[in-house]
Amino acid sequence: MADRGDKAVSAEGIAAAAGKASKGGLPPVHLWNPPFCGDLDMEIRADGTWFYQGTPIGRPAMVRLFSTILKREGDRFFLVTPVEKVGIRVVDAPFVAVDAEIAPDAVTFTTNVGDRVTAGPENPITLRGTAVEPRPYVHVRAGLEALIDRKTFYRLADAAIEQDGRSGIRSGGVFFPLEP
């Protein structure tokens, strides 16, 4: 639990504030710059599982709610509301792309929290790692990425085309190589 002077900040309090702020879509977290209230014992593991105080958050609606108020500043991640900001830990990427609709010039990913994003100039696919252990990501929003899970990456590789001697896919008018 983070400490904000005389008041403790809890996941429940953050969730209640987020629920109020997110009516009608994604809240404008990029516009919010509330005071930092400390770190919350919350972690997003590499497989996309959200933990609070060492226990997995079992309610998908709660995870989705938290995901809508997630903000990245440099290498740190925060849950923000109009009045408070708490730090959380993210092991790899905050989201996992668990599926994709693959069309000739559009690849639309679905994340583990229900976001849908079409790869393109604003949402590039990037590869890290090595040729043996590639780590593919897609930009979701405001500096937040999703790790593309293995089965989805294999589907992308199966749909790959050759361009300039490289294997990759096209989406949004951009060619994205599928090799580091």
Side-chain angles (χ1 to χ4, degrees):
M1 203 174 315
D3 189 6
R4 175 176 48 150
D6 60 338
K7 294 183 182 177
V9 179
S10 68
E12 294 80 11
I14 293 283
K20 289 178 189 172
S22 67
K23 298 292 185 214
L26 289 172
V29 297
H30 63 286
L31 300 176
W32 298 342
N33 194 24
F36 178 66
C37 299
D39 291 314
L40 196 61
D41 185 10
M42 187 175 285
E43 178 177 79
I44 306 171
R45 303 261 171 99
D47 68 356
T49 304
W50 290 57
F51 282 76
Y52 178 59
Q53 296 182 336
T55 302
I57 300 174
R59 294 179 45 209
M62 182 70 68
V63 170
R64 171 68 184 155
L65 182 62
F66 285 137
S67 78
T68 66
I69 60 166
L70 187 62
K71 183 177 184 181
R72 182 175 186 166
E73 294 178 1
D75 290 337
R76 299 227 30 223
F77 293 87
F78 302 92
L79 297 179
V80 295
T81 72
V83 296
E84 57 197 357
K85 173 169 93 173
V86 294
I88 68 167
R89 294 178 308 280
V90 176
V91 173
D92 188 359
F95 310 125
V96 177
V98 295
D99 198 8
E101 293 174 16
I102 303 170
D105 190 41
V107 178
T108 302
F109 294 93
T110 301
T111 71
N112 61 317
V113 295
D115 287 315
R116 289 180 49 82
V117 60
T118 300
E122 300 295 315
N123 297 301
I125 297 170
T126 57
L127 282 163
R128 298 183 197 113
T130 66
V132 176
E133 296 257 346
R135 303 277 303 165
Y137 299 85
V138 63
H139 180 264
V140 177
R141 65 176 179 273
L144 302 174
E145 294 180 310
L147 173 67
I148 300 170
D149 74 2
R150 186 175 306 234
K151 72 177 177 351
T152 304
F153 184 68
Y154 285 157
R155 289 182 54 227
L156 295 177
D158 191 46
I161 59 171
E162 292 293 322
Q163 182 174 315
D164 300 325
R166 297 189 78 187
S167 179
I169 58 164
R170 292 193 65 76
S171 184
V174 179
F175 178 77
F176 296 104
L178 294 180
E179 48 198 40

